[in-house]
Amino acid sequence: QLQLQESGPGLVKPSETLSLTCSVSGGSIGTVTYYWGWIRQPPGKGLEWIGSIYYSGRTYYNPSLKSRLTMSIDTSKKQFSLDLSSVTAADTAVYYCARQDMDTAMVTARFFDYWGQGILVTVSS
Amino acid sequence: EIVMTQSPATLSVSPGERATLSCRASQSVSSNLAWYQQKPGQAPRLVIIGASTRATGIPARFSGSGSGTEFTLTISSLQSEDFAVYYCHQYNNWPPEYTFGQGTKLEIK
């Protein structure tokens, strides 16, 4: 059974960088048939896609976050990571990592089929 | 950006009855639409893919329909465990700009 687990600080100061890691167990992260993504959810609000990364390191970012976002992947450690710089209170949210199914015929990523439990990150001084 | 609009924001239905949730896209997403269920304090759970295919382990009382810009999630004979927030998600763009609806809260009447 595939499992994903987010880790990182629960509190980040304004203007600093939010860094999270997702550890994957029960399956391979270096497969050609999946992307790996981050989604966030501000308290009491809806879901927002942050970005997705392929095992090769290819990334796709939400245009609204692109200037502050860096994602990376380490297949040997079965981990992928998120760095979001210059955070403000608006970045306070539960951050989820998830596996993203891929349409291998079209070479496009699709829906999120496995999710981590989420980690609450609060931006506050 | 494709905007996904869900209605209603809250739906009150009695157990055993049918619930119909709607999702509208600001432009065509073909059948590239998923539905997720989220319970308080939990991660979203995939329910429907490709607008109409149940995800693995999802009961047959869940069904999805639609294509283009109009989509529906129907839950027949509601069970207590079905009361949750439901989100639609379009994955039509490439390069991707995935977007979610704002959610419909399905509550017990």
Side-chain angles (χ1 to χ4, degrees):
Chain A
Q1 175 77 0
L2 188 76
Q3 292 188 323
L4 296 90
Q5 178 71 57
E6 305 88 351
S7 60
L11 181 64
V12 180
K13 290 182 168 56
S15 79
E16 296 189 344
T17 296
L18 182 163
S19 297
L20 297 175
T21 296
C22 183
S23 299
V24 179
S25 60
S28 175
I29 195 174
T31 64
V32 300
T33 51
Y34 298 106
Y35 270 75
W36 304 90
W38 290 97
I39 303 97
R40 71 180 181 179
Q41 184 172 37
K45 297 188 178 180
L47 301 165
E48 179 183 32
W49 171 66
I50 298 171
S52 299
I53 189 165
Y54 199 44
Y55 79 99
S56 63
R58 174 179 294 180
T59 54
Y60 294 99
Y61 297 154
N62 186 320
S64 68
L65 299 170
K66 187 174 183 177
S67 64
R68 300 191 290 130
L69 184 60
T70 303
M71 291 177 60
S72 59
I73 191 166
D74 187 333
T75 55
S76 65
K77 292 183 178 179
K78 300 180 71 173
Q79 294 178 334
F80 60 103
S81 299
L82 159 71
D83 286 332
L84 185 65
S85 64
S86 305
V87 297
T88 69
D91 295 308
T92 293
V94 174
Y95 285 74
Y96 295 100
C97 61
R99 189 180 79 171
Q100 193 169 11
D101 182 85
M102 188 174 169
D103 181 340
T104 53
M106 300 295 292
V107 198
T108 59
R110 304 188 293 182
F111 45 84
F112 299 98
D113 57 0
Y114 283 89
W115 296 63
Q117 66 185 23
I119 182 171
L120 174 62
V121 179
T122 301
V123 178
S124 174
S125 56
Chain B
E1 175 184 307
I2 298 176
V3 177
M4 307 301 291
T5 303
Q6 293 186 239
S7 61
T10 303
L11 182 62
S12 299
V13 184
S14 300
E17 295 190 340
R18 175 189 299 259
T20 303
L21 290 68
S22 297
C23 175
R24 172 178 291 178
S26 61
Q27 63 189 74
S28 177
V29 298
S30 187
S31 295
N32 297 312
L33 185 110
W35 290 93
Y36 302 86
Q37 174 194 73
Q38 187 178 35
K39 297 180 180 179
Q42 296 185 17
R45 175 193 183 194
L46 183 64
V47 176
I48 296 288
I49 61 173
S52 60
T53 301
R54 284 188 304 278
T56 302
I58 299 301
R61 63 181 180 272
F62 288 85
S63 63
S65 63
S67 66
T69 62
E70 299 284 343
F71 301 90
T72 300
L73 174 68
T74 302
I75 312 169
S76 63
S77 189
L78 278 162
Q79 306 297 302
S80 58
E81 62 266 29
D82 300 334
F83 292 96
V85 179
Y86 290 84
Y87 294 94
C88 60
H89 159 221
Q90 68 81 16
Y91 48 91
N92 191 64
N93 315 72
W94 196 262
E97 288 189 43
Y98 307 114
T99 49
F100 294 84
Q102 81 279 19
T104 289
K105 181 180 181 181
L106 179 59
E107 64 177 24
I108 300 175
K109 185 174 182 180

